[in-house]
Amino acid sequence: MKRNTKINLLLLLAVAALAVLPLALGMGDHKEEPFTGADGEAETAITEIEPDYEPWFSPLYEPPSGEIESALFAVQASLGTGVLAYYFGLRRGRRQGAERALAARPASPQDD
């Protein structure tokens, strides 16, 4: 097996472990909503410290439910992934095209 293949498999295994271990170990079982985002955790901490705190800003759009909010986040993440994949694919294609053009170029006497 090639070295890059081994590294990729190890990275894939690490990502899978990061996704599964919190669920398998029961992290967050003591909470009412175990896997809320950092925004929810920050809001809880702020209201415990300063109960009369008033936020400076309010959201432009508040989704009607947590499921819709999660779906919108997933759409946002997939669009970002698509843009990054397109960019890296385009760069790789341009680099490979340039390499092929150099390889196909006939050798001239000035190159020696």
Side-chain angles (χ1 to χ4, degrees):
M1 191 181 300
K2 291 183 180 179
R3 182 173 186 260
N4 286 341
T5 305
K6 287 180 184 178
I7 291 172
N8 287 339
L9 288 175
L10 286 173
L11 288 173
L12 184 62
L13 183 65
V15 168
L18 285 173
V20 173
L21 280 176
L23 297 172
L25 297 176
M27 294 180 166
D29 284 347
H30 63 283
K31 297 180 181 179
E32 186 177 314
E33 294 182 33
F35 295 106
T36 59
D39 294 343
E41 294 286 331
E43 184 180 346
T44 303
I46 290 170
T47 54
E48 285 177 4
I49 295 169
E50 186 69 37
D52 298 330
Y53 175 76
E54 288 291 324
W56 293 359
F57 301 101
S58 61
L60 296 175
Y61 171 70
E62 188 74 35
S65 70
E67 291 83 10
I68 293 174
E69 186 175 357
S70 294
L72 290 173
F73 181 75
V75 168
Q76 177 186 1
S78 63
L79 284 173
T81 302
V83 168
L84 284 174
Y86 174 78
Y87 171 74
F88 287 122
L90 185 67
R91 282 196 52 190
R92 182 175 181 179
R94 285 184 178 173
R95 187 184 65 223
Q96 287 177 346
E99 289 172 359
R100 287 182 189 145
L102 283 175
R105 189 180 76 174
S108 64
Q110 298 167 347
D111 290 341
D112 294 329

